[in-house]
Amino acid sequence: MGRPDRTRRTLLDAAVVVLSKDSAASLSAVAEHAGVGRTTLHRYFPTRELLIRALVEDALDRVAEAIASAHPDEGPVVDALQRVTDTVVPLGPSLSFLHAEPEVYNARDLIRRWYEALEPVAEAIERGQADGSLRADLPVKWVVDAYAGAILTAWDTADEGRIWLQDAPRLVMTTIVHGIATPPQETS
Amino acid sequence: MGRPDRTRRTLLDAAVVVLSKDSAASLSAVAEHAGVGRTTLHRYFPTRELLIRALVEDALDRVAEAIASAHPDEGPVVDALQRVTDTVVPLGPSLSFLHAEPEVYNARDLIRRWYEALEPVAEAIERGQADGSLRADLPVKWVVDAYAGAILTAWDTADEGRIWLQDAPRLVMTTIVHGIATPPQETS
DNA sequence: CCGTTATGGAACGTGAGTGTCCCACTTGGA
DNA sequence: TCCAAGTGGGACACTCACGTTCCATAACGG
């Protein structure tokens, strides 16, 4: 990995840290946190928008890769979701800006890529509904969003010190899979 | 209700609409959407920060009032949560900016007020864990965040047209209370 | 009806962030 | 060692949003 690649990585990492705290932070702040001149930042990412895009795409790549490495298409669906959760959660709160960045919200193609990255999860959920391990009275789209939302919530909650990140995978899985009610009787 | 109050309401409503689409939108855009001069906006909210604060406090008041009107401290806990969900969800996606505004994220007192508004829900959950209707192996703080997060997710998902807002209360309650797995057997 | 009150428009100064350019410097590799 | 690639800093113009002020006008209440 050459010098340029390392500088680029440094900038992206710094941008994640700074922008997740304040999505309106200046590029000077990003460059400073990266220990790099603002000129150099512009050399790699000519405009702010390009930086954001690169940032989001990098994050999406990481999520997609984490999901793929958990092999969501193999074995019992609940086990598969457990594996996905265990690999995605440690990616950390640093990715929680994915649903806060204004630029993301208003860029249709980025939202599309977000759901493309989640597609393997959607397929696993469909598989679970088909084989009877997941309840079929919930729309797949909703289940996908609820699951992803639970992970985002876990990141935010851990960020605020209300839970430990290491507990997050269990909390997310228990809550999403079994719910918060006691198992035996269905309270109506 | 005098003229000033009505203008203030108009401005707050317009600000919710505009800022929830783009949290970095200009005050001109807000004033224009409200059909009001920018001067008038500054007369009611001298600075941008004051507008945001008023906005968030207004939204928090609405949520707190909705929760209170659902009497979360009465009857079976699951029923109580059902009532809260039914009253809060219709407040609409317009409130989803509550967790996206940078100013909110970095204002400690606003976060505190957010959890104050959710306090009755937290008490209901504690009550449920005590009387055995809710599983006790999840931290109350986590359950509160997961529940609130599910409602926020429902708003966002409805906003994107992936579900109907009218279905949201059922989806939220089913998912949070019972989970996404089929009831009978516990898939390990 | 008249006067108080609220509003709208225009203009201005200010500050911050952005993007660009140029030049001196340093780092790394051939 | 020397050269080229990469970097840092300073300076600049430009844009945009913000907050303020002044004044004319419109709306409401007594």
Side-chain angles (χ1 to χ4, degrees):
Chain A
M1 182 158 67
R3 212 191 335 170
D5 295 305
R6 297 187 63 250
T7 304
R8 186 185 155 88
R9 252 275 57 88
T10 304
L11 280 169
L12 286 178
D13 291 341
V16 168
V17 173
V18 173
L19 292 178
S20 63
K21 273 191 208 157
D22 175 13
S23 63
S26 69
L27 297 185
S28 313
V30 174
E32 188 180 1
H33 190 277
V36 148
R38 193 168 66 94
T39 309
T40 303
L41 190 157
H42 275 100
R43 206 168 273 129
Y44 283 85
F45 308 100
T47 74
R48 182 194 184 85
E49 188 190 349
L50 257 17
L51 171 63
I52 304 278
R53 295 194 71 88
L55 206 59
V56 173
E57 289 175 5
D58 180 66
L60 286 176
D61 287 346
R62 284 203 246 180
V63 171
E65 186 193 336
I67 291 176
S69 77
H71 302 290
D73 57 332
E74 297 176 4
V77 170
V78 173
D79 293 354
L81 287 179
Q82 179 76 58
R83 287 196 303 274
V84 172
T85 307
D86 289 341
T87 51
V88 170
V89 167
L91 289 183
S94 51
L95 299 186
S96 68
F97 73 94
L98 272 178
H99 78 313
E101 277 298 323
E103 282 87 351
V104 176
Y105 204 80
N106 293 318
R108 251 35 197 146
D109 59 318
L110 287 182
I111 292 192
R112 196 171 44 75
R113 290 201 47 178
W114 164 253
Y115 285 115
E116 282 177 11
L118 285 178
E119 185 54 29
V121 173
E123 288 171 9
I125 289 168
E126 283 181 50
R127 184 161 65 89
Q129 290 194 344
D131 70 16
S133 52
L134 298 187
R135 49 193 315 151
D137 59 344
L138 298 173
V140 173
K141 285 184 179 179
W142 161 255
V143 177
V144 171
D145 285 1
Y147 171 67
I151 292 181
L152 290 174
T153 298
W155 281 339
D156 287 343
T157 301
D159 235 10
E160 292 175 13
R162 290 164 62 84
I163 65 169
W164 286 350
L165 190 59
Q166 67 197 56
D167 292 335
R170 178 182 72 86
L171 298 178
V172 168
M173 285 303 288
T174 302
T175 305
I176 276 290
V177 175
H178 304 299
I180 64 173
T182 45
Q185 65 268 34
E186 305 278 342
T187 317
S188 64
Chain B
M1 183 158 64
R3 214 191 335 171
D5 296 305
R6 296 187 64 247
T7 303
R8 187 185 155 88
R9 252 277 56 86
T10 305
L11 280 168
L12 287 177
D13 291 341
V16 167
V17 172
V18 173
L19 292 178
S20 63
K21 273 192 208 154
D22 175 13
S23 64
S26 69
L27 298 184
S28 314
V30 173
E32 188 181 2
H33 190 277
V36 149
R38 192 168 67 96
T39 309
T40 303
L41 190 157
H42 275 100
R43 225 186 298 276
Y44 283 86
F45 309 101
T47 75
R48 181 194 184 87
E49 187 191 348
L50 257 15
L51 170 63
I52 304 277
R53 294 195 71 88
L55 206 59
V56 173
E57 289 175 5
D58 179 67
L60 287 176
D61 287 345
R62 283 202 247 181
V63 171
E65 186 194 336
I67 291 176
S69 76
H71 302 291
D73 56 334
E74 298 176 6
V77 170
V78 173
D79 293 355
L81 287 179
Q82 179 77 56
R83 288 195 303 273
V84 172
T85 306
D86 289 342
T87 51
V88 171
V89 167
L91 289 182
S94 50
L95 299 186
S96 68
F97 73 93
L98 272 178
H99 77 312
E101 277 298 323
E103 281 88 352
V104 177
Y105 204 79
N106 293 318
R108 251 36 199 146
D109 60 318
L110 287 182
I111 293 192
R112 195 170 45 74
R113 291 201 46 177
W114 163 253
Y115 284 116
E116 281 176 12
L118 285 178
E119 185 54 28
V121 172
E123 288 171 9
I125 289 167
E126 284 180 50
R127 185 161 64 88
Q129 290 194 344
D131 70 17
S133 52
L134 297 188
R135 51 193 315 153
D137 60 343
L138 297 173
V140 173
K141 285 183 178 179
W142 161 255
V143 177
V144 172
D145 285 1
Y147 171 67
I151 292 182
L152 290 173
T153 298
W155 280 339
D156 286 345
T157 301
D159 235 11
E160 291 173 17
R162 290 165 62 85
I163 64 169
W164 285 352
L165 189 58
Q166 66 197 57
D167 292 335
R170 177 182 73 85
L171 298 178
V172 168
M173 285 302 288
T174 303
T175 305
I176 276 290
V177 176
H178 304 299
I180 65 174
T182 44
Q185 66 268 32
E186 305 278 344
T187 317
S188 62

